[in-house]
Amino acid sequence: MEEETISLRELFAVLRKRLSMIVIITVLATVISGVVSYSFLKPVYQASTQILVSQAAAGSLASIAGMSFDNDAKYIETYNVILKSPYILDQVVKELDLDTTAQGLNNQVNVTQQGKSQVVTIAVQNHDPAEAVTIANEIAKVFQREISALMMIDNIHILTPAELPENPAPIKPQPVLNMAIALVVGLMASVGIAFLLEYLDNTIKNEQDIEKLLELPVLGTVNTIELEDGKSTKKSTTMNSKRGAKVEV
């Protein structure tokens, strides 16, 4: 069984043949992405505050001498869990009278430790930039207040409170990035569709298709036949050297 090979020239021929379809699909995907990003997706803003886990626990000299940086790092892992717990977030929702639940607020909050430092960042995402700032600061305040009762320590300090900038910029959506992704995806999809259509198309359109199908040279063709009534037919008869076979296209 002979293996079929496709040359680069044939590949470019397929792309050139379906060029209009490829351009239309690519442009359409890019335009749709832009319209959705600019008109339908609500902008999301982010505000963040930072808290410092100091080495002074319970404010005593004994604690200062006995607590090391490694111990504080272990405490930070626990703090990160407590910060997003319903115990803290329920109080934030209640005190700010938010139209959400602790679980809903949890989805808006992200708590991260800055490297291996003792600084923890509380980031809040919201459609309202002012509300994002208020929530971030309130979470830090509630946590600072409640951690003393939970763990009998007082080593949390608000390092940098969240502030509302004059011209807040949303972190998402990013229309330009979305359109660029849509352009690439649309281009890849349209090229794939072009090759799929070419693979599924097994009709005979010209002499080259006949030569390729029968693997025989074409002897002659009749392109147009004039009829008695003056009309013409576009039926073309091609003859090849295989038993005088005729193929109509």
Side-chain angles (χ1 to χ4, degrees):
M1 182 177 180
E2 297 183 357
E3 295 183 359
E4 294 185 357
T5 59
I6 301 178
S7 64
L8 289 177
R9 181 175 297 179
E10 291 175 324
L11 294 178
F12 284 116
V14 173
L15 295 179
R16 185 170 59 251
K17 178 180 176 182
R18 310 282 183 179
L19 182 60
S20 58
M21 183 199 70
I22 294 174
V23 172
I24 291 174
I25 293 178
T26 303
V27 173
L28 189 62
T30 305
V31 171
I32 292 176
S33 175
V35 171
V36 172
S37 298
Y38 281 107
S39 303
F40 295 96
L41 297 181
K42 292 183 178 180
V44 177
Y45 300 87
Q46 179 172 288
S48 59
T49 181
Q50 292 182 325
I51 60 176
L52 174 66
V53 180
S54 68
Q55 292 184 350
S60 64
L61 294 177
S63 298
I64 295 175
M67 177 170 283
S68 65
F69 176 82
D70 292 336
N71 288 332
D72 279 335
K74 294 179 181 179
Y75 273 113
I76 290 175
E77 296 178 3
T78 304
Y79 294 161
N80 292 346
V81 176
I82 297 176
L83 273 166
K84 298 189 66 175
S85 67
Y87 181 83
I88 299 296
L89 298 184
D90 275 333
Q91 296 185 54
V92 174
V93 171
K94 183 178 180 180
E95 293 184 10
L96 296 180
D97 193 22
L98 299 176
D99 187 19
T100 185
T101 62
Q103 182 60 39
L105 183 57
N106 189 4
N107 296 330
Q108 303 177 31
V109 179
N110 185 31
V111 179
T112 57
Q113 181 182 359
Q114 300 301 305
K116 295 183 178 180
S117 68
Q118 297 169 276
V119 178
V120 176
T121 299
I122 306 170
V124 177
Q125 296 183 2
N126 197 284
H127 295 299
D128 185 352
E131 187 170 300
V133 171
T134 303
I135 294 174
N137 289 330
E138 187 66 22
I139 292 176
K141 291 178 182 179
V142 172
F143 177 73
Q144 184 184 37
R145 182 186 67 212
E146 297 296 328
I147 197 65
S148 299
L150 287 174
M151 303 185 67
M152 299 302 177
I153 56 177
D154 185 18
N155 64 336
I156 304 299
H157 303 278
I158 298 177
L159 185 63
T160 306
E163 296 181 355
L164 180 65
E166 294 183 2
N167 298 311
I171 61 171
K172 58 183 180 181
Q174 299 179 9
V176 177
L177 178 60
N178 292 345
M179 293 174 66
I181 295 175
L183 187 146
V184 175
V185 174
L187 181 61
M188 294 174 61
S190 59
V191 170
I193 293 174
F195 283 112
L196 178 62
L197 292 176
E198 188 67 19
Y199 175 77
L200 296 177
D201 186 6
N202 57 2
T203 58
I204 299 175
K205 299 181 178 63
N206 49 45
E207 297 83 2
Q208 289 77 15
D209 292 340
I210 297 174
E211 291 181 348
K212 184 177 180 180
L213 177 64
L214 300 179
E215 298 181 354
L216 294 172
V218 175
L219 298 180
T221 61
V222 179
N223 294 325
T224 304
I225 300 176
E226 294 289 341
L227 302 180
E228 293 181 358
D229 58 359
K231 296 181 180 180
S232 62
T233 177
K234 294 183 178 179
K235 180 180 293 185
S236 175
T237 302
T238 301
M239 299 183 63
N240 55 59
S241 59
K242 187 177 182 180
R243 297 181 182 177
K246 296 181 180 180
V247 180
E248 292 185 350
V249 294

